[in-house]
Amino acid sequence: MGKVSLEGIEFHAYHGVFSEEKKLGNRFTVDLHVHTDFQKAMLHDDLKRTVDYFKLYQIAKAHMQVPVKLLEHLAHLMIQDILKVYPEIKKIKIIIKKHNPAIGGVVNYSVVEVNYPKDYA
């Protein structure tokens, strides 16, 4: 079992509950971690036998462009699509950070972490 990750993917997006967030948007950082068996890819230098992180990026990018209220829901949607493309994946961890959340105080970012299958039990 191995892990393929993309860390620190940055987006400007319009996720949130408040109207200001939907209008002005915000900066978000996404980390994707997937656990899969990539032994054959490792031995044979074959991209088709592992998780292509370009495809992971495309999934994250597509979902960041469609506003939702909750980061938890956003991570869930990403997990669903990752599993459609790679049903053999055993574990997924998605961390989404909203920079400078609109909560009336100084906060670097709010963070949501969703783990598959742990959070789906």
Side-chain angles (χ1 to χ4, degrees):
M1 186 71 69
K3 180 168 79 167
V4 175
S5 299
L6 288 175
E7 296 182 343
I9 312 167
E10 294 212 8
F11 298 98
H12 185 84
Y14 299 88
H15 306 296
V17 175
F18 301 114
S19 60
E20 296 84 15
E21 295 174 305
K22 295 175 186 177
K23 184 192 274 186
L24 301 173
N26 205 338
R27 185 170 144 225
F28 294 84
T29 302
V30 178
D31 297 335
L32 302 173
H33 305 276
V34 298
H35 294 258
T36 189
D37 180 0
F38 58 50
Q39 184 178 20
K40 290 180 182 176
M42 184 173 65
L43 295 173
H44 301 286
D45 196 24
D46 185 358
L47 179 59
K48 293 177 186 167
R49 297 178 181 204
T50 188
V51 173
D52 182 346
Y53 52 78
F54 177 75
K55 289 182 182 177
L56 292 179
Y57 175 80
Q58 292 298 320
I59 290 168
K61 181 180 176 184
H63 284 288
M64 292 304 293
Q65 294 174 346
V66 179
V68 298
K69 294 177 190 169
L70 301 178
L71 299 182
E72 296 89 332
H73 183 65
L74 180 61
H76 166 70
L77 295 173
M78 289 181 193
I79 287 170
Q80 283 185 317
D81 279 358
I82 291 169
L83 290 172
K84 285 178 189 172
V85 175
Y86 297 107
E88 70 279 3
I89 288 178
K90 303 297 181 212
K91 289 173 41 178
I92 302 171
K93 176 167 70 172
I94 297 183
I95 300 168
I96 303 174
K97 296 177 182 177
K98 180 189 286 188
H99 295 256
N100 305 306
I103 59 172
V106 178
V107 177
N108 287 338
Y109 43 77
S110 57
V111 181
V112 169
E113 178 179 324
V114 179
N115 292 278
Y116 169 86
K118 180 181 163 191
D119 293 330
Y120 290 80

